[in-house]
Amino acid sequence: MEKQEVIKAAECGAAWVNEQRQRKRDEAFHELLESMCQKVIKNDAQELSFYVKQLVDDPTEAGSGKIKPRLFGNFGTKYATYMDSISEFANDRGYEFIPKVEIFKTGKANVGTFDAQPTPVVGFVSRDEIPAGAIRYTFDEKHQLRKLFGFISGMRLRAWPFAIVAFLVVMVGGVYALWLSALMSSLVMRPTFDMFVLLMATIFVGVILWRRYQAFDRFTNTKIALTHDALIHFTSPQSVVVQRLNEQGESFLEVISASATCPICQGEVRLRKPSFSCSHEVVGACRNNPSEHCFTFDHMTRLGWPITETARRHVRGYSE
């Protein structure tokens, strides 16, 4: 890449990190990326390869504790999770190039290389083309499931996963039905308090299993659900798992988080289950007023529309 293109990419990266910081999203990854971009800008893209230790041991950053050495090894993976967010930022603000950063280990030192890459063309509307009355969600980050469940993250959903689920449902349902019948027969023939307690506990477990099955059935129909905290590496109610199609038309699972700016009060809109009677599995709710400032969520177009009457009346440009 030409020197000016690399500088533009570094400016884009630094500006993106600054926006994340304003939105109170500041972590070790952002700090390290910003340090790289600022190095490139200050030396006028004359030096694009450097020891990462030079960044974290800078006197102005010494003792900050924000940049952890363990981040170096998975920096590339972390950067990929933010690619959608960086690409959206660059498209909205007219940056033609975004950073291309790689960190690799040579001997005992971590070496970082900086370059520019053309801004990917995004498949959703820019901020200047958002329809009147709608909001646009930003896909903040893509997440990885915990190792125990990681095999389903991004896997192609063919016939065999559903066949296995159907088999397990039949087996568990059959065993449960037999066990419940046996308990009820025993309670009728020889009623005891212990038997009654065991029957109630069995019914309670059955209700839980039935609700889990209903949640799975809803997901197969709606193709979206809030991600349970046990599946991911942090507690994040705005994280959702969606079923999408790849370029080959095959289904796969993706875990993402998204947010938007409320057009009514300028608060932050986060994804959550609706707190009112609603046909949507997941909605966007403003943190300032989650019961009134609510919006739909379309993970394909990244757009949302007001749900409540109060929200409709207050959204600028909305017409009946």
Side-chain angles (χ1 to χ4, degrees):
M1 287 289 180
E2 299 291 334
K3 182 176 73 171
Q4 290 302 319
E5 295 173 349
V6 175
I7 293 176
K8 290 296 183 182
E11 291 174 347
C12 175
W16 176 79
V17 171
N18 183 58
E19 183 186 77
Q20 299 301 303
R21 186 171 291 117
Q22 291 178 357
R23 298 171 66 188
K24 298 182 179 180
R25 293 182 178 86
D26 189 16
E27 55 183 75
F29 167 81
H30 298 97
E31 194 83 5
L32 184 54
L33 178 60
E34 183 183 40
S35 297
M36 293 180 181
C37 293
Q38 293 296 346
K39 284 282 187 180
V40 173
I41 295 172
K42 289 179 181 179
N43 65 39
D44 199 30
Q46 297 297 321
E47 182 184 1
L48 300 178
S49 179
F50 35 77
Y51 289 107
V52 177
K53 186 177 180 180
Q54 295 174 345
L55 300 175
V56 300
D57 288 343
D58 188 273
T60 61
E61 299 171 354
S64 65
K66 291 184 178 180
I67 302 179
K68 307 297 183 182
R70 61 184 176 83
L71 174 65
F72 303 152
N74 64 354
F75 183 90
T77 302
K78 188 71 173 178
Y79 187 78
T81 66
Y82 283 108
M83 183 57 68
D84 277 2
S85 177
I86 296 173
S87 299
E88 178 188 287
F89 177 87
N91 275 277
D92 283 346
R93 289 156 181 79
Y95 287 102
E96 297 181 357
F97 299 93
I98 63 174
K100 180 181 180 182
V101 181
E102 296 180 353
I103 294 182
F104 57 92
K105 197 172 185 64
T106 172
K108 294 183 178 181
N110 292 286
V111 176
T113 60
F114 191 98
D115 202 354
Q117 58 181 325
T119 300
V121 178
V122 294
F124 49 89
V125 298
S126 67
R127 64 176 180 177
D128 297 327
E129 299 174 342
I130 302 174
I135 63 172
R136 190 194 65 181
Y137 291 91
T138 295
F139 282 15
D140 301 319
E141 184 179 0
K142 294 181 180 179
H143 306 296
Q144 294 294 321
L145 301 180
R146 292 186 182 275
K147 292 182 178 180
L148 179 62
F149 308 96
F151 71 97
I152 69 173
S153 182
M155 80 171 185
R156 298 174 180 177
L157 299 180
R158 297 177 178 173
W160 65 267
F162 292 100
I164 293 177
V165 171
F167 175 77
L168 291 176
V169 169
V170 172
M171 287 294 296
V172 173
V175 171
Y176 178 83
L178 291 175
W179 173 252
L180 184 62
S181 299
L183 284 179
M184 294 180 67
S185 298
S186 299
L187 187 62
V188 170
M189 296 178 60
R190 191 176 58 182
T192 63
F193 178 76
D194 292 341
M195 189 65 67
F196 177 77
V197 172
L198 183 58
L199 177 62
M200 292 298 101
T202 301
I203 294 176
F204 178 74
V205 171
V207 171
I208 294 177
L209 292 176
W210 175 248
R211 288 182 176 177
R212 291 289 175 264
Y213 172 76
Q214 287 181 315
F216 174 78
D217 184 61
R218 284 197 306 272
F219 176 72
T220 59
N221 291 302
T222 62
K223 304 185 186 306
I224 183 172
L226 286 173
T227 307
H228 195 278
D229 295 341
L231 297 178
I232 52 179
H233 292 279
F234 61 95
T235 300
S236 179
Q238 73 274 12
S239 178
V240 295
V241 55
V242 297
Q243 182 180 337
R244 307 184 69 174
L245 297 178
N246 59 20
E247 296 179 353
Q248 290 72 38
E250 300 171 326
S251 297
F252 69 97
L253 298 181
E254 189 175 55
V255 183
I256 57 177
S257 61
S259 63
T261 300
C262 179
I264 305 171
C265 66
Q266 303 305 308
E268 186 179 37
V269 176
R270 282 295 188 181
L271 301 182
R272 59 181 292 176
K273 282 189 175 295
S275 58
F276 47 86
S277 179
C278 180
S279 61
H280 301 284
E281 185 70 17
V282 177
V283 300
C286 176
R287 287 187 170 182
N288 293 337
N289 195 340
S291 63
E292 292 294 335
H293 304 174
C294 298
F295 307 85
T296 60
F297 172 66
D298 188 333
H299 68 273
M300 297 300 295
T301 65
R302 303 193 182 190
L303 294 178
W305 298 88
I307 295 177
T308 65
E309 290 297 329
T310 304
R312 289 191 177 97
R313 287 195 298 270
H314 286 81
V315 170
R316 181 183 303 174
Y318 182 85
S319 59
E320 295 293 342

